[in-house]
Amino acid sequence: MAILAISGGVFSCTKQDTQAVVVEATIKLGTTNATLDKGSSFVYVTAPGDWKMSVRGNEGWARLKDTEGSGNVVNILSYDRNPEENERSCVLTLISGTDTTSALFVQSGSRTVIKSDPVAKWMELPATGNVDDNRYYFFSHPMAIGGKKCRNYSYCWDIDGLVARWVAYPLNSALLKGSCGRSEEWGLDPKLPEKYQPVMIKPVSGGDRGHQIPSADRQILEYNEQTYYGTNMTVQNSRLNQGVWSNLEMYVRDRSRNLDTLYVVTGCVVSGSSRTTRDNSGKSVKIPDGYFKALLGYSSSRTVGITNSTSGYTGIAFYFNNNSYSGSYLNESMTIDELERKTGLDFFVNLPSAIGETKAAKVESTPDGWWKD
């Protein structure tokens, strides 16, 4: 009777009858999964007689010390450093008499495994169901105000476009305190390896380095510096950035002073964009086709707009193509529902659990005149 035994990197056959057990040719690797660095592994050979061994599928990066021998020996497999991102593998094949057996050797690549931060139940967050899908990832930068830990801002990273699909953050009087101004500390985001984020320490062609969470929304130096990470930047039309968009940012800060908290989502649309630019290191970065803001305000006094009938909440949204505008930003306002249909995003997903589906639907579908007073 023939029995096939498989264990780790070992493939062997054993014939057994009532009188004797005959062990045929086997290979056992000391290391079946190696790191990307140059190294070597023992190869334990068991054979009843003469044998030959070869390495297939390696294109020369893995080599055996001995390709021929006899009986049981310890051979050595040497391998070079893997310069590629992806893992690679080769197959060791042993032939002894009529027996043939093989073992798989795998070497890791240099690709960095990116893993999202845990997703919290913060009110400002849109739906994050598609993160960790090899394109979108979720990250959050923490901070502390008066000894209390909180979040600075969170974002959904598009690893293909090298832009944040959206940046979400709370805004209130406490968060606006400080007077550091613009730190201008352009830098890299520690949440991501450099090759997966844009380097925008110097200006790039195609437009301004536009903030998604504005510098002026964080006036404590340490947290203002976080707004200058390349992951918070997009290539924005200069006239839009310095004109109506800047006016909208000032409006958002002013409105937040009339609320307990204003929850803000700022984002860009690159899904249909064919325009790109190069960052300071030569990587291709998508230039967005459009930008949006979704605002959810909370007033505990319930004296603002429709808040008396919606457990304290009210909302508005804006959308702009990535070009220059004349006139007021209020001309581009819409309901949150309308922005969801335009962008395909689901904003403020934690609102229904706080106030119920009916009231949440009213907040997202009602044009509240308070925002335009």
Side-chain angles (χ1 to χ4, degrees):
M1 177 176 64
I3 302 174
L4 177 65
I6 303 176
S7 176
V10 183
F11 298 75
S12 64
C13 287
T14 303
K15 292 182 179 178
Q16 181 175 347
D17 56 29
T18 57
Q19 296 181 347
V21 175
V22 179
V23 178
E24 297 185 351
T26 65
I27 307 172
K28 182 177 180 180
L29 291 168
T31 302
T32 57
N33 290 277
T35 67
L36 60 85
D37 295 319
K38 178 181 179 180
S40 61
S41 172
F42 290 123
V43 182
Y44 301 95
V45 178
T46 301
D50 294 340
W51 51 262
K52 292 183 178 182
M53 187 180 295
S54 61
V55 184
R56 294 183 290 110
N58 71 312
E59 299 178 348
W61 57 266
R63 300 163 298 279
L64 287 162
K65 178 183 177 184
D66 298 312
T67 57
E68 297 182 357
S70 181
N72 303 340
V73 298
V74 178
N75 204 350
I76 296 177
L77 177 72
S78 300
Y79 48 90
D80 299 331
R81 178 181 174 82
N82 185 2
E84 305 298 328
E85 289 190 350
N86 296 323
E87 69 177 24
R88 59 186 179 181
S89 62
C90 60
V91 177
L92 281 65
T93 300
L94 176 71
I95 300 175
S96 180
T98 60
D99 296 336
T100 300
T101 186
S102 299
L104 179 68
F105 176 78
V106 179
Q107 185 182 27
S108 299
S110 60
R111 181 181 295 278
T112 303
V113 177
I114 303 174
K115 187 176 181 180
S116 292
D117 289 340
V119 179
K121 294 291 186 180
W122 298 322
M123 188 62 76
E124 68 269 18
L125 293 184
T128 56
N130 60 347
V131 299
D132 285 333
D133 65 354
N134 297 321
R135 177 173 180 180
Y136 297 117
Y137 297 86
F138 173 82
F139 299 105
S140 182
H141 286 293
M143 65 178 178
I145 302 294
K148 182 179 179 181
K149 293 182 178 179
C150 54
R151 68 273 189 193
N152 190 351
Y153 64 91
S154 306
Y155 63 98
C156 179
W157 188 243
D158 180 344
I159 203 168
D160 291 342
L162 294 187
V163 295
R165 192 182 189 194
W166 50 256
V167 175
Y169 57 97
L171 193 60
N172 54 44
S173 57
L175 295 172
L176 288 171
K177 287 181 178 178
S179 58
C180 72
R182 294 174 62 91
S183 68
E184 301 290 342
E185 291 293 330
W186 305 90
L188 294 174
D189 191 330
K191 291 284 184 176
L192 282 163
E194 180 177 332
K195 64 181 178 179
Y196 296 129
Q197 63 175 295
V199 181
M200 292 188 171
I201 297 171
K202 299 177 181 179
V204 297
S205 63
D208 289 352
R209 293 169 291 176
H211 287 66
Q212 297 216 60
I213 174 174
S215 169
D217 285 6
R218 295 293 184 260
Q219 285 298 296
I220 297 174
L221 181 60
E222 178 183 356
Y223 308 124
N224 181 271
E225 290 174 351
Q226 292 179 351
T227 72
Y228 283 86
Y229 292 152
T231 50
N232 188 45
M233 301 298 143
T234 64
V235 182
Q236 191 171 33
N237 180 283
S238 297
R239 290 186 178 179
L240 173 64
N241 182 45
Q242 298 172 34
V244 68
W245 188 262
S246 176
N247 293 335
L248 175 60
E249 291 175 337
M250 288 188 285
Y251 164 83
V252 170
R253 286 189 288 275
D254 287 342
R255 287 282 125 169
S256 73
R257 293 183 174 94
N258 298 299
L259 299 161
D260 291 77
T261 302
L262 180 58
Y263 301 101
V264 184
V265 184
T266 301
C268 66
V269 176
V270 297
S271 57
S273 175
S274 60
R275 295 185 297 160
T276 61
T277 190
R278 295 286 174 180
D279 74 349
N280 301 159
S281 64
K283 295 193 293 293
S284 178
V285 180
K286 280 277 191 177
I287 298 178
D289 280 339
Y291 291 90
F292 59 84
K293 282 189 184 289
L295 309 178
L296 177 67
Y298 174 69
S299 170
S300 60
S301 66
R302 303 186 182 185
T303 57
V304 171
I306 64 170
T307 57
N308 188 50
S309 61
T310 56
S311 298
Y313 289 91
T314 179
I316 193 172
F318 300 84
Y319 186 91
F320 299 82
N321 293 322
N322 193 12
N323 50 44
S324 61
Y325 278 79
S326 60
S328 172
Y329 46 83
L330 291 174
N331 295 338
E332 312 305 322
S333 66
M334 60 187 68
T335 66
I336 294 169
D337 276 349
E338 288 174 314
L339 184 61
E340 288 178 335
R341 289 191 290 269
K342 192 173 186 68
T343 62
L345 294 171
D346 184 6
F347 297 104
F348 309 118
V349 292
N350 297 312
L351 182 61
S353 62
I355 64 174
E357 293 283 351
T358 301
K359 290 181 180 179
K362 183 176 181 179
V363 170
E364 296 193 359
S365 63
T366 303
D368 189 346
W370 175 81
W371 294 99
K372 299 185 178 182
D373 289 344

